[in-house]
Structures are given as C-alpha cells and as structure tokens.
Amino acid sequence: MIEFTINGQATSLDADPNMPILWVVREKLGMTGTKFGCGIAACGACTVHLDGEPVRSCSTPLSAAEGRAITTIEGVSGEDGELSAVQQAWISEQVPQCGYCQSGQIMSATALLRDNPAPSDDDIDAAMSGNICRCGTYKRIRQAIKVAAGLETAQSEDEAQESAA
C-alpha cells in the first residue's frame, strides 16, 4: 500500500510501486487531464507537481510519491473551483489550439510563477523549454504567463481573435 496526497486528498493505493504516476493518475484514479505524450519524459505533456516541483509523470514511479503530495491539472483550480491566474490567462490569451500539451504547459507555468512571480522572457523560455507544443503556440504561452504574472494586460476579444487568425 502506497500512501500519498493527491490534489489535497490523502490517498492509499495498492498498486505496483514501479507504475508511472501518469498511469496511476489516469487509470487508477480516473483523472484524465494529465496526458501521455512521448513516454520518455521529453515532451512535458504529462507534467504534474510532486511536492510542488514539476515532474514528468510518465517516468516517475509511484514509489517516488510515497508520503508526498501530487498535484495534477485537476488540482490547480481553487477549492471553490475558481480558475487560477494561469488558467484564466490561458483562456484570455486563447493559448491552446489542439490543447493536448496544455495541462503540462499550465503545470510548468504555475511552478515558474510560484518561484518567480515576475519572470523575464529568458526565465519563461528556460522554465518552459521542456514542454513541447506541436501547434507552436509558444508566443501565446509566453504572453499568458506574463498576463498571469500581472506583467501585461490580457488581450481584448478583438485582439485575441486577430492573433488566433
């Protein structure tokens, strides 16, 4: 039995300690927001937080979570369901196209802003470099991080429609 906290809830699970956290979260716990991308910790789609630090859940075994706290994309919103500043910025800046990588992107951006509330472009690029977006929305990702940090204002609907075109 492995005991850990997931999104603030104490959990005990009888599972193979070598099973990647990704499959525990998706298959055993039914939280499908965390995505499988590459399976080799290279793309970042599977990013979750382990004790607040971003990790690639496709390559991190469940045993690493023993006595620790996992936060998934489902746990980023406030307890009342209110979206985080990062999630709100992702919407206002219309970041996703296909959306597949976005939960991992949001998890990495959340950790960045927790540790560096006023990141420079270089800071953002460094923190997000392990997250691949096949649609290439990197410019919007950077903009959303700046909006979430309060460094820039959100686009108006007209501006957002123009940048999406």
Side-chain angles (χ1 to χ4, degrees):
M1 194 67 72
I2 297 178
E3 296 182 2
F4 55 95
T5 302
I6 187 151
N7 299 331
Q9 299 295 316
T11 304
S12 293
L13 195 61
D14 187 15
D16 180 349
N18 294 315
M19 178 183 279
I21 290 173
L22 172 66
W23 299 120
V24 171
V25 167
R26 290 184 60 81
E27 303 297 324
K28 300 284 185 186
L29 301 175
M31 297 179 200
T32 58
T34 304
K35 304 299 184 198
F36 174 80
C38 65
I40 59 170
C43 74
C46 68
T47 302
V48 300
H49 294 173
L50 188 58
D51 285 342
E53 294 303 315
V55 298
R56 302 303 193 244
S57 65
C58 71
S59 64
T60 305
L62 179 59
S63 61
E66 176 70 43
R68 299 174 76 188
I70 299 170
T71 305
T72 67
I73 190 67
E74 291 89 349
V76 173
S77 298
E79 288 183 23
D80 59 358
E82 185 176 329
L83 296 178
S84 71
V86 172
Q87 291 170 310
Q88 290 172 4
W90 244 246
I91 293 167
S92 73
E93 299 310 303
Q94 298 184 6
V95 172
Q97 282 186 16
C98 83
Y100 198 81
C101 70
Q102 296 306 310
S103 60
Q105 301 276 3
I106 289 170
M107 297 304 289
S108 293
T110 298
L112 165 64
L113 292 177
R114 181 201 61 228
D115 296 341
N116 182 353
S120 68
D121 284 350
D122 287 342
D123 295 333
I124 293 170
D125 292 347
M128 302 303 290
S129 66
N131 291 79
I132 298 171
C133 175
R134 128 179 205 180
C135 299
T137 65
Y138 299 111
K139 182 178 177 187
R140 286 188 255 172
I141 289 168
R142 182 187 289 152
Q143 178 66 22
I145 292 170
K146 289 178 178 183
V147 168
L151 300 174
E152 294 190 13
T153 58
Q155 292 183 23
S156 70
E157 284 188 40
D158 292 338
E159 291 171 322
Q161 287 176 354
E162 286 176 18
S163 73

